[in-house]
Amino acid sequence: MVLSHAASNSDVSVHSTFASRYVRTSLPRFKMPENSIPKEAAYQIINDELMLDGNPRLNLASFVTTWMEPECDKLIMSSINKNYVDMDEYPVTTELQNRCVNMIAHLFNAPLGETETAVGVGTVGSSEAIMLAGLAFKRKWQNKRKAEGKPFDNPNIVTGANVQVCWEKFARYFEVELKEVKLSEGYYVMNPEQAVEMVDENTICVAAILGSTLNGEFEDVKLLNDLLVLKNKETGWDTPIHVDAASGGFIAPFLYPELEWDFRLPLVKSINVSGHKYGLVYAGIGWVVWRNKEDLPEELIFHINYLGADQPTFTLNFSKGSSQVIAQYYQLIRLGHEGYRNVMENCRENMIMLREGLEKTGRFNIVSKDEGVPLVAFSLKDNSSHTEFEVSDMLRRYGWIVPAYTMPPNAQHITVLRVVIREDFSRTLAERLVIDIEKVMRELDELPSRVIHKISLGEESEANGDNLMVTVKKSDMEKQREIINGWKKFVSDRKKTNGIC
C-alpha cells in the first residue's frame, strides 16, 4: 500500500509562487501586514507591479541616465551599503569625491593654481546644488549690506521664466524674490538685456541656464556677463552670476569648447551640474563648484565631530549613499575627455537624424536649436484637428514616453513635444521613433477631430457678426467612444479594401 503525505498550508517551499496563497489576495496598501511572507513571494509581487511602470530606456522625457556599463553597475552594488557621511570610516570614498570636485572645477576652467584645491561638493542632484549656491549668494549679499548699514531683508534673484522648478523652490523656501524675464514666441530663453534691466541693489545674483529644459538652448552667458560688468561699473554694485549647467555642463566642454560660459567669465562665481544627466551616472548625484573660497561664506560650513573625525560639511542632506559618487569617478577616469566627447558627438548626430526625419514628414515645426543639449523639441504645424497631447498619448501605445507641454509665460499658447537624446538612444531607436510617429499621425488622421462649436453672444452681438468659437472639452468616455468608433471604421475599411470577410 502506497502512503501519501499532503503538504500543510505552512509548507510554502513546495508551492509554485503563483499558486501560493500570497498572490491570491491583495496585499495591504496603507497598513503594515501582521504576518510575514516568503521572500520569493514578496519579490514576485513587487516585481509584477513594477512591470506597469514605463521602460526607462524608452522614457524620452528624462535627461537622467538610464544605462551604465556592467563594470560600473558592479561598483555601485558593491558600495550601495556605504553611507557617504561616514568619512572617517570610508576615507577612500571621501577622496574620490574630492577628486571629482577638482576634475569638474578644472573642466569648467576654475582659476586654480597647480596645488590649489577646488571648492565644491557632491549633492543628491542639481536641486540641492542650486539651494546651496543660492544660500551662498544670499549670505554673502546680506553680509555686505550689513557692513554698509543698509537693509538686507528683501533679496531677489533674476532668472528667465524657463527655469526649472527648483529655483522657485529655493525662492519660496529661503524667502528670496524671484524676478523672471518672460519669454516670447520664438525666443524661449532668458533675454540678457531684459535680465540686466531687472537687476537692482537687492539682486543677489542672476541665474543663467546652460541648457533650458524647454528646448535645450544655451543662454548667452557671455553677453550677460558683459552687460552686467557695465551695469556694475555704473552703479557700484557687484552683482554676480550663477550658471545652472545641470544639463549642459557635461556637454559644452566637449562639443563647444570655445564657448565662453564658465569661470572664464569674471562674474561667474558658481556652477552646478547634474552628474546623473550627461555626467552619465544613474539618478542621485549632482555637483556645485565655486570660483574660489571667498565665494562660499565660511559661516555656512559646519565642522562636526562625527565618528571620530572633524568633518567640514555644507549640504542640506546628511546621510546619503556613496555609490553614485564612486560611479561618477568611474565615468570620469573611464571615459576621459575622449570618451565624453565621443558620447556627446554621437548624441548630437542622433539628434540631427531625428530632427531631419521629423522635418521630412512635413507635419512639424522644430522648436529646438542645433547648438545646445541634444534634444528635439517640435510642435504640430496644424493642431486644429489634433493636438500635441494626443500625439504623446498615442505614442504610449508603441512604448515611447514623449512629453507634451506648454511653454511658460508669455509663450504659454505654444505646445511642444520633446525627445531627449541620451547616450543609450541609438541610431536604430531614432529611426524607429520616426517610423512610429508617422504611424501615429496617420492613425490620428483617421480619427474624429475635435468638435468646434459656435456660440452666439446674443442678438445684438450676432447682428454685428460677433460669434465666439470655442473648443468644447469632451469627457474621457466621449473621447474613448470616438476612438473606438474611429478604429472600427478604420478596420472595417481595411477589410473591404483587402477583400477579407
Side-chain angles (χ1 to χ4, degrees), residues 108-109 111 220-226 229 241 243 259-270 291:
F108 296 163
N109 294 293
D220 193 340
V221 187
K222 176 68 165 60
L223 177 58
L224 176 65
N225 177 88
D226 295 345
V229 166
I241 295 172
V243 179
L259 181 67
E260 294 185 48
W261 63 272
D262 51 18
F263 291 122
R264 285 170 289 183
L265 303 175
L267 291 184
V268 174
K269 303 300 183 180
S270 57
R291 186 182 192 87

Side-chain angles (χ1 to χ4, degrees), residues 272-483:
N272 70 276
V273 65
S274 291
H276 60 220
K277 292 182 179 177
Y278 288 92
L280 308 180
V281 178
Y282 294 137
I285 185 67
W287 304 92
V288 57
V289 290
W290 284 268
R291 186 182 192 87
N292 51 50
K293 293 180 180 179
E294 290 72 29
D295 296 309
L296 176 56
E298 177 64 30
E299 64 263 33
L300 293 178
I301 302 174
F302 286 82
H303 293 268
I304 58 174
N305 184 8
Y306 183 67
L307 298 181
D310 175 64
Q311 301 174 10
T313 176
F314 179 41
T315 61
L316 298 181
N317 297 284
F318 194 62
S319 295
K320 65 179 179 181
S322 297
S323 54
Q324 261 67 16
V325 171
I326 295 168
Q328 183 72 83
Y329 185 65
Y330 171 91
Q331 292 289 52
L332 291 173
I333 66 167
R334 159 78 175 97
L335 296 174
H337 278 264
E338 177 189 24
Y340 270 97
R341 184 166 53 251
N342 289 338
V343 169
M344 302 311 157
E345 287 176 349
N346 186 51
C347 289
R348 181 172 59 182
E349 290 170 4
N350 288 334
M351 177 268 290
I352 293 172
M353 180 269 153
L354 177 61
R355 185 197 65 204
E356 292 175 347
L358 292 172
E359 288 175 332
K360 287 179 181 178
T361 67
R363 306 290 293 267
F364 301 102
N365 292 315
I366 305 300
V367 177
S368 51
K369 306 295 183 182
D370 290 343
E371 183 176 290
V373 177
L375 62 80
V376 182
F378 54 103
S379 60
L380 288 167
K381 288 184 176 180
D382 179 11
N383 60 3
S384 59
S385 298
H386 298 285
T387 69
E388 288 82 0
F389 293 100
E390 290 175 277
V391 176
S392 176
D393 288 340
M394 294 284 279
L395 281 171
R396 286 268 187 160
R397 293 174 44 247
Y398 294 93
W400 302 107
I401 302 174
V402 178
Y405 51 90
T406 57
M407 290 292 192
N410 289 330
Q412 60 266 39
H413 59 287
I414 305 295
T415 305
V416 300
L417 296 145
R418 188 192 71 196
V419 174
V420 177
I421 311 298
R422 299 190 303 271
E423 177 188 15
D424 55 347
F425 188 73
S426 65
R427 180 67 57 90
T428 300
L429 286 178
E431 293 170 348
R432 181 76 250 175
L433 177 59
V434 173
I435 292 171
D436 289 342
I437 289 175
E438 290 176 332
K439 287 181 181 178
V440 163
M441 297 309 300
R442 289 195 295 268
E443 291 165 4
L444 284 173
D445 290 341
E446 298 288 337
L447 296 177
S449 62
R450 294 173 296 160
V451 178
I452 306 295
H453 294 282
K454 180 181 287 187
I455 297 179
S456 174
L457 297 178
E459 294 182 5
E460 184 177 345
S461 298
E462 192 170 0
N464 295 328
D466 295 332
N467 291 309
L468 178 65
M469 302 291 287
V470 299
T471 301
V472 178
K473 186 178 179 66
K474 300 179 181 179
S475 68
D476 291 341
M477 185 65 72
E478 289 174 322
K479 288 191 287 186
Q480 186 69 22
R481 192 178 296 117
E482 281 191 355
I483 291 173

Side-chain angles (χ1 to χ4, degrees), residues 198-210:
M198 296 174 71
V199 169
D200 58 34
E201 63 179 353
N202 294 322
T203 302
I204 64 175
C205 78
V206 180
I209 304 177
L210 193 77

Side-chain angles (χ1 to χ4, degrees), residues 108-121:
F108 296 163
N109 294 293
L112 299 171
E114 287 295 325
T115 59
E116 193 174 357
T117 302
V119 180
V121 65

